[in-house]
Amino acid sequence: YNYLLAPRNAFAENDYGEILALLGRKHAAIEVLQQATEDDPGYRSPAYNLGCLYYQEGRLEPARELLLKAIRLNPALPNAYFCLGLTELKAGNAKQAEKAFRAALEINPKGKEYHYELGLALKALGEPQAALAEFERELQANPRHPQARRLAREIRAQEEGPKAPGKGGAQNSLATQ
């Protein structure tokens, strides 16, 4: 490792791993965070950070395991539930994703992207009304969220269905006058 201060100290390793990840050196960050999880198995931060990095790398099973470990170590960590939800959604486990996003929202109702991602899980579960409600909640917090806006518009359009020619609208009302 390329650090001099506190080698084999999980707190220092976690901080160093975070810095490496922020600098775009994900593989080096993963290596350091793996060491931190071995050096202090009871420290939740490296488990959480490594789980999120594994999610970003598409390594979903180890991501899930580490995020569940982080949650066991600190059940009040909304971002761990959120990242777990992202992992489950990417793995095609929409029901598990929904549970994780709801747990994150229970702890932090104003979490950025939480309602949007819950909406995606609900949409995947075939619950368009519930998904629409979550997209609208996301838009209340972030009115410029383009994906939430687009998906909300799509759900509303699907509910309205195709307009039949000659039914309603300005042309019909003008024709009857």
Side-chain angles (χ1 to χ4, degrees), residues 122-171:
L122 293 166
K123 188 173 185 290
L125 289 169
E127 299 180 28
Q129 286 302 310
L132 177 60
E134 294 304 323
F135 295 142
E136 288 175 344
R137 285 185 186 102
E138 186 67 39
L139 288 167
Q140 288 173 354
N142 182 5
R144 295 185 181 176
H145 195 291
Q147 297 95 341
R149 182 176 306 288
R150 179 181 55 79
L151 290 169
R153 192 171 39 245
E154 285 176 12
I155 291 171
R156 284 188 205 102
Q158 287 173 353
E159 287 177 0
E160 291 173 7
K163 301 274 187 204
K167 302 257 182 186
Q171 289 180 340

Side-chain angles (χ1 to χ4, degrees), residues 25-176:
R25 297 181 55 202
K26 287 185 182 179
H27 295 292
I30 287 171
E31 191 175 315
V32 171
L33 291 168
Q34 285 172 333
Q35 185 62 52
T37 60
E38 292 171 19
D39 288 345
D40 189 349
Y43 181 31
R44 62 122 179 116
S45 290
Y48 164 73
N49 288 323
L50 186 56
C52 290
L53 282 173
Y54 279 162
Y55 158 75
Q56 292 171 9
E57 297 278 311
R59 297 166 64 181
L60 303 180
E61 190 53 41
R64 178 184 295 116
E65 290 173 18
L66 285 160
L67 292 164
L68 288 170
K69 176 182 177 179
I71 290 167
R72 279 192 307 274
L73 293 170
N74 183 355
L77 188 64
N79 288 346
Y81 288 101
F82 181 71
C83 195
L84 177 62
L86 294 173
T87 302
E88 296 293 0
L89 197 55
K90 194 173 197 176
N93 302 323
K95 193 65 181 168
Q96 292 303 108
E98 176 194 8
K99 289 178 186 177
F101 292 134
R102 289 193 187 282
L105 280 162
E106 189 173 310
I107 299 165
N108 181 7
K110 295 183 180 183
K112 185 176 181 185
E113 299 285 322
Y114 288 15
H115 288 287
Y116 170 72
E117 294 293 343
L118 175 56
L120 290 179
L122 293 166
K123 188 173 185 290
L125 289 169
E127 299 180 28
Q129 286 302 310
L132 177 60
E134 294 304 323
F135 295 142
E136 288 175 344
R137 285 185 186 102
E138 186 67 39
L139 288 167
Q140 288 173 354
N142 182 5
R144 295 185 181 176
H145 195 291
Q147 297 95 341
R149 182 176 306 288
R150 179 181 55 79
L151 290 169
R153 192 171 39 245
E154 285 176 12
I155 291 171
R156 284 188 205 102
Q158 287 173 353
E159 287 177 0
E160 291 173 7
K163 301 274 187 204
K167 302 257 182 186
Q171 289 180 340
N172 193 31
S173 63
L174 290 175
T176 58

